[in-house]
Amino acid sequence: MAFHRPASSYQPCDTFFVETYDDFRVPRMDPKEHARLIARERQYAIADELSKVTSDELREDIVSHMLDMEAATLPDVESIDIQTEIQWFMRPYLLDFLIEAHTAFQLLPTTLFLTINLLDRYCSKRVVYKRHYQLVGCAALLIAAKYGDKKDRVPTIKELKSMCCSLYDDDMFIQMEWHVLQTLGWTIGHPTVDSFLQVAVMDSPYEPEVEHLALYILEIALFHREFVSKPPSDLARASLALSRCILNRPQPRHTEWAAQYDSMTLVGLSQELHQPSQVLARKYSSAHYSRVSKLLEQFLARQASIASYTPPSPPSEVPAESKPYNGEIGLATPQKNNHLSDMAGYLTPPITPENEAFAHAGNSHFVKGAMCASPTPPPTMQYVTSQPYHQAEATYVQQFQPQPQIAFQTGF
């Protein structure tokens, strides 16, 4: 290939060459093809705008129809309770298997929720043996994928048989698929919770973390019996409100449909977030789902640390081992001394002394506004029974005359 350097652009230099692509010109698009491409893009834009306008006009009718459908296609949890072989503790194992299969085939979120709905509806109407429980789940997944997912992602019977470790034959998958459809009267359509979730977030800006966390909460709810017969509309609105609360995002206005959630459903969902399935937590820890399982785990850890925090108790006003008050300034409430003879200040005479000379004395004595009572006289007090009342009182006052240098008063 010949290399040359345009004289107008570069100065002569012997150390390098500049390659030009003048010989490889970009082919020009045919004017008709270009006009056709522009017209197609305009049609797509017009169709999107008309779809949005139609959706706004018919939203109430669409939501009303979805509410009627969810009431007609809800499973009966009480009928599942009377199953003879399958029990509720088996449900998490089957759901983990279906979630892994759903993720492996890269199916839509609505396919998983429709699969669980078909499974529960079938278990509400037919007796299911333990050995066929996984087969029913696989048949429900196959029906749901054929109903609403992409055709190239629908699992084949061979793939499902391989995931079940060849526990069932090919004919068993076909027979169970036909039996599920016949039991449900070929009524497959069901407004899933993710459909109501899309209706709830239609008027708000796109927030991937909020929607992914709401989906994570909704899939956690699939594992628990109390949410099997819950309407999907209530679950979608409650999970969205709980997701916004966890992520500290503003709630919708009270006039919007999304704001009309059931508070009891929200509380019930919040109580089941502490121990999610490991398969589910691993699924939502990927960047495709904004790693919301990690965010939820961090939020629950913060809430647990706040709940376990105990503030320090204030210091006790009266210490357990207090020394007697010695008249120091700045101490707390003076403590009672066991030796009355060591006390300084005004002594209070007894209310009812045993001496006859004080039989007619007052029943109470006040020392500077504080009444102090003592059932027995101090041991140092000397009563003179032979003296008259006024002499005995003088002897008492003289013996316990207050000292002028004492500036504090003690009491019991």
Side-chain angles (χ1 to χ4, degrees), residues 359-372:
H360 302 287
N363 293 333
S364 63
H365 298 268
F366 292 84
V367 180
K368 292 186 179 182
M371 185 177 70
C372 301

Side-chain angles (χ1 to χ4, degrees), residues 106-125:
Q106 299 180 356
L107 302 175
L108 296 175
T110 186
T111 302
L112 177 63
F113 294 109
L114 182 58
T115 299
I116 307 304
N117 175 261
L118 296 175
L119 171 67
D120 292 336
R121 286 163 59 190
Y122 180 82
C123 293
S124 302
K125 298 178 179 296

Side-chain angles (χ1 to χ4, degrees), residues 90-256:
M90 304 176 185
R91 184 181 182 87
Y93 299 99
L94 179 60
L95 291 189
D96 284 342
F97 169 78
L98 293 176
I99 290 172
E100 288 183 337
H102 175 270
T103 306
F105 295 120
Q106 299 180 356
L107 302 175
L108 296 175
T110 186
T111 302
L112 177 63
F113 294 109
L114 182 58
T115 299
I116 307 304
N117 175 261
L118 296 175
L119 171 67
D120 292 336
R121 286 163 59 190
Y122 180 82
C123 293
S124 302
K125 298 178 179 296
R126 297 289 185 179
V127 176
V128 181
Y129 295 107
K130 186 192 309 182
R131 62 182 181 272
H132 293 157
Y133 196 30
Q134 187 180 19
L135 181 62
V136 176
C138 291
L141 178 64
L142 188 59
I143 295 171
K146 290 180 178 179
Y147 180 78
D149 217 303
K150 297 180 180 179
K151 302 305 179 183
D152 57 340
R153 296 185 180 180
V154 175
T156 63
I157 294 179
K158 182 179 180 180
E159 292 171 335
L160 292 176
K161 179 182 178 181
S162 177
M163 296 190 70
C164 295
C165 302
S166 301
L167 186 62
Y168 311 105
D169 298 332
D170 296 351
D171 295 339
M172 297 180 68
F173 286 96
I174 298 174
Q175 291 177 6
M176 182 56 70
E177 181 183 5
W178 177 83
H179 197 263
V180 170
L181 291 172
Q182 188 183 30
T183 301
L184 301 182
W186 297 82
T187 303
I188 306 174
H190 170 72
T192 55
V193 286
D194 65 305
S195 302
F196 283 105
L197 186 63
Q198 294 302 318
V199 174
V201 300
M202 191 175 295
D203 295 329
S204 59
Y206 177 63
E207 294 178 318
E209 289 185 351
V210 173
E211 295 187 20
H212 292 160
L213 184 55
L215 282 174
Y216 182 39
I217 296 173
L218 290 172
E219 291 195 27
I220 292 176
L222 295 175
F223 286 77
H224 301 282
R225 174 190 177 277
E226 55 269 25
F227 302 114
V228 171
S229 294
K230 277 284 184 180
S233 56
D234 292 346
L235 289 173
R237 287 178 290 188
S239 65
L240 183 61
L242 182 58
S243 174
R244 286 171 171 168
C245 180
I246 293 174
L247 297 176
N248 197 19
R249 304 295 172 83
Q251 297 290 343
R253 297 186 301 270
H254 66 280
T255 56
E256 298 182 8

